[in-house]
Amino acid sequence: MESLLIEAGNNTPMLHFSPDSGILVFRGKSIPENTLKFYSPVKAWVTEYLQQPASETVLDVYLEYFNTSSAKMLIELFKQVQEAHLAGRTVMRMVWRYETADLDMQEAGEDMKNLLKVDVEMVSVEG
């Protein structure tokens, strides 16, 4: 399976997913005009990856901003990986990075911790 690499756009995040290492990186901001169009191939890649995932899957998230429609898609993706985790096919871990002064993104990470049944490591980054 090939890695997925999507370069950051003005309104879209950089995504780099490596099936060999099991590291799925999300960076930047996510406010695409058509959220479904942007995330559909991402969701398809994750679905294929989860057929034979790495022993550990790390979601490395450092988003500066995302809109409501992106939040819905991201939660769907995260829950997709969580299902594989709960089924014992991979060990899911999330690293949620946020700038120290960005209380909104810190709160979004706390929401993920409450929403997901996996380890979410909160990492404060000096901006």
Side-chain angles (χ1 to χ4, degrees):
M1 177 173 194
E2 296 291 318
S3 292
L4 174 71
L5 177 59
I6 298 174
E7 296 293 339
N10 290 335
N11 297 317
T12 56
M14 183 280 292
L15 303 176
H16 186 205
F17 298 174
S18 171
D20 297 332
S21 69
I23 298 174
L24 286 59
V25 176
F26 300 77
R27 294 281 186 278
K29 62 183 169 183
S30 183
I31 51 172
E33 281 188 35
N34 186 333
T35 306
L36 190 59
K37 182 179 178 183
F38 178 78
Y39 280 103
S40 286
V42 177
K43 192 170 182 182
W45 187 95
V46 170
T47 299
E48 183 180 344
Y49 165 74
L50 292 174
Q51 299 299 314
Q52 292 185 305
S55 59
E56 181 181 50
T57 300
V58 178
L59 300 164
D60 187 343
V61 183
Y62 188 8
L63 296 171
E64 59 190 70
Y65 180 78
F66 55 89
N67 59 13
T68 304
S69 59
S70 290
K72 290 177 183 176
M73 291 303 293
L74 290 167
I75 289 168
E76 279 184 34
L77 287 170
F78 299 161
K79 285 194 168 193
Q80 214 179 339
V81 179
Q82 176 181 264
E83 285 177 27
H85 167 82
L86 295 174
R89 294 196 318 269
T90 188
V91 175
M92 177 183 172
R93 191 167 59 86
M94 177 180 279
V95 178
W96 187 273
R97 301 174 197 279
Y98 61 95
E99 290 193 13
T100 305
D102 191 342
L103 299 179
D104 290 335
M105 290 311 292
Q106 180 181 0
E107 185 177 313
E110 295 293 341
D111 289 345
M112 291 300 166
K113 276 179 96 162
N114 294 327
L115 192 64
L116 300 170
K117 299 176 179 97
V118 299
D119 179 39
V120 178
E121 177 186 353
M122 300 290 292
V123 177
S124 175
V125 177
E126 291 300 321

